[in-house]
Amino acid sequence: MPSRVKGDGRTTRWDAHRDQRRAELVQAAVRAIDQHGPDVTIADIAAEAGVSKPVLYRYFTDKDQLHAAVGRWGADEVLAGMLPALRNDAPVRERVAHAVDAYLTTLEEHPQVFLLLVRHRGSDPLADGKAAIAAAFTRFLGDTLRELNVDAAGAEPWAEGLLGLGLSTGEWWLERRTMSKAAVGRYLTAFVWHALEGAATELGVPLSALDRPSAAADPSTATPIRGRKRS
């Protein structure tokens, strides 16, 4: 029986080329949305990319799929700014403030893209992106709770709640513009901080304990835990 013929690398090279081309077209779509707003057409995007609509449809089956790719691009941009801020060595509240500022800065740089994604009718172009952000938040919150030596079961629902808070606040800010980015950042930081600090305090170890590593590591310095202690 003849052996299966192994690939000669051409398929892999084509896949890499296709991925690169898709990324370039997504960037073109972002530029077109920045210029034309949420009502951008496929023709506008094709013109920005310097291709015909049929060429665009070779890489994206329809407009929804292209918008979904833009949504994932936006989520990656948000995470690229927020995660380093959350993981630095500053006091916890400062980390939250820096992460909120990174998020609002991304929205400020591409407001039309964000508005297109949250106003989109039909399938949710942010579905994959929201899932990626929620997963990253869940990992971060879970690691933080485990560092505090308390039950981390709430990490996932808290992450989903923070995601919803950020999306709704961001949409409100871009539509209304009734306050500066600095002002909305202070409010959003306070909302997030008090939500997380309150939840951690109920578990018996305030988040401020993370600013004192020795206290977080020594259970005798923490207040009695009213949540379930990790085994």
Side-chain angles (χ1 to χ4, degrees), residues 103-122:
Y103 168 64
L104 294 176
T105 296
T106 302
L107 266 58
E108 187 177 47
E109 291 173 348
H110 301 283
Q112 302 302 326
V113 173
F114 182 81
L115 290 175
L116 178 147
L117 295 172
V118 297
R119 293 174 179 174
H120 188 272
R121 296 180 179 178

Side-chain angles (χ1 to χ4, degrees), residues 185-231:
R186 286 194 298 271
Y187 285 117
L188 187 54
T189 296
F191 296 154
V192 173
W193 167 256
H194 287 295
L196 296 177
E197 176 71 343
T201 299
E202 283 196 2
L203 291 173
V205 187
L207 284 179
S208 55
L210 291 174
D211 299 334
R212 297 176 286 109
S214 59
D218 182 1
S220 68
T221 64
T223 56
I225 293 182
R226 293 180 288 276
R228 286 191 297 121
K229 186 81 174 286
R230 291 180 67 244
S231 58

Side-chain angles (χ1 to χ4, degrees), residues 69-93:
V70 172
R72 184 54 195 258
W73 170 88
D76 289 343
E77 289 291 299
V78 167
L79 289 174
M82 293 188 71
L83 291 182
L86 289 171
R87 291 170 176 161
N88 68 31
D89 295 327
V92 179
R93 183 154 183 167

Side-chain angles (χ1 to χ4, degrees), residues 24-72:
E24 292 169 352
L25 294 172
V26 168
Q27 291 286 348
V30 170
R31 293 193 302 270
I33 299 166
D34 284 342
Q35 179 180 352
H36 298 283
D39 295 327
V40 67
T41 65
I42 286 292
D44 294 327
I45 295 172
E48 177 63 35
V51 301
S52 65
K53 288 198 293 183
V55 169
L56 199 61
Y57 283 127
R58 290 178 193 169
Y59 295 89
F60 304 95
T61 57
D62 54 26
K63 194 173 184 178
D64 284 349
Q65 190 178 78
L66 176 56
H67 285 174
V70 172
R72 184 54 195 258

